[in-house]
Amino acid sequence: QVQLEESGGGLVKPGGSLRLSCVASGFTFSDYYLIWIRQAPGKGLEWVSYISGSSFNVFSADSVKGRFTVSRDNAKKSLYLDMNSLRADDTAVYYCARGHTSGAYYGEYWGQGALVTVSS
Amino acid sequence: SYDLTQPPSLSVSPGQTASITCSGDQLEDKYLCWYRQRPGQSPVVVIYEDNKRPPGIPERFSGSNSGNTATLTISGTQPMDEADYYCQAWDSGSGRFFGGGTRLTVL
């Protein structure tokens, strides 16, 4: 079955950097769009970024543009989110999710999430 | 940017019908999905493309999208349906938008 497992979360100081990873199994990884979605503590969901199977199509929300970079390694079946210039309002659980083969329309399958805390 | 508005909370008794709304300008021109998020768990899609149900989601879950309002309907609501529900819309562009979420209480 489809499985997604995030790692790399933790505590980081404002202005710092962190890399999240998401390892996938149970489907042909390179065929699918992959998505990062976050949820601040006690708050709603926020779309962060997505990337196509070939890495040709990439999108980032305005709130993270220029600071976060999404990438993937199809050989390793892994999705990444490089986060720089982190701010307190980036504190959230970050979920990776699988989209469709034709687009990142919605998250069909989700990982368990990785908590990122930005605090001094 | 595109705003999707959901009621913050809704309470129903077991066996009743729960109708959770999601409103946005010309929402019918976009596709919509609904997620259920139980406490401490990741979201799960319960409706996609306005009214389609993924495998494993009970038939009591249904969806509609017309005009400026989409509705998630849960017929014969059960205590296990108690959760936060989020709508999410997308269009032919790159925009992806979440509603603020509705906490459904079954009591």
Side-chain angles (χ1 to χ4, degrees):
Chain A
Q1 73 276 24
V2 174
Q3 289 190 317
L4 300 161
E5 184 171 352
E6 302 91 340
S7 61
L11 175 64
V12 61
K13 288 181 168 53
S17 299
L18 206 60
R19 171 178 253 208
L20 299 181
S21 301
C22 174
V23 177
S25 62
F27 62 99
T28 304
F29 185 81
S30 58
D31 284 351
Y32 287 84
Y33 278 73
L34 295 169
I35 306 159
W36 287 104
I37 293 167
R38 69 183 180 183
Q39 186 171 35
K43 302 296 185 182
L45 300 168
E46 180 186 10
W47 199 279
V48 175
S49 193
Y50 66 73
I51 185 168
S52 64
S54 66
S55 301
F56 182 79
N57 291 323
V58 176
F59 168 84
S60 291
D62 287 344
S63 58
V64 305
K65 200 168 290 185
R67 300 187 300 123
F68 290 12
T69 302
V70 62
S71 62
R72 63 191 293 163
D73 184 333
N74 287 342
K76 294 182 178 179
K77 298 185 179 180
S78 293
L79 171 72
Y80 305 103
L81 186 67
D82 288 297
M83 303 183 291
N84 298 311
S85 303
L86 282 161
R87 311 185 303 224
D89 62 359
D90 294 318
T91 295
V93 174
Y94 286 74
Y95 296 99
C96 71
R98 195 193 82 173
H100 279 233
T101 55
S102 55
Y105 308 125
Y106 64 91
E108 190 175 10
Y109 296 93
W110 295 57
Q112 84 288 350
L115 176 61
V116 173
T117 303
V118 184
S119 175
S120 54
Chain B
S1 183
Y2 180 79
D3 292 329
L4 288 174
T5 301
Q6 296 181 237
S9 62
L10 177 68
S11 294
V12 298
S13 299
Q16 283 190 331
T17 295
S19 296
I20 301 173
T21 58
C22 175
S23 300
D25 185 47
Q26 304 277 71
L27 186 55
E28 67 179 356
D29 293 339
K30 302 185 188 300
Y31 283 106
L32 200 86
C33 72
W34 290 91
Y35 301 98
R36 175 188 66 205
Q37 186 178 31
R38 294 178 171 139
Q41 296 186 16
S42 303
V44 171
V45 61
V46 294
I47 293 289
Y48 67 99
E49 291 180 11
D50 295 347
N51 54 22
K52 297 177 181 175
R53 207 172 43 247
I57 299 301
E59 289 184 13
R60 63 179 182 274
F61 286 84
S62 62
S64 65
N65 185 10
S66 179
N68 295 327
T69 303
T71 303
L72 172 69
T73 302
I74 309 172
S75 304
T77 306
Q78 299 183 8
M80 67 168 63
D81 299 328
E82 189 162 286
D84 292 329
Y85 290 85
Y86 295 91
C87 61
Q88 183 230 305
W90 70 91
D91 55 25
S92 58
S94 59
R96 307 290 183 265
F97 315 100
F98 281 106
T102 298
R103 176 151 297 177
L104 177 65
T105 303
V106 182
L107 41 68

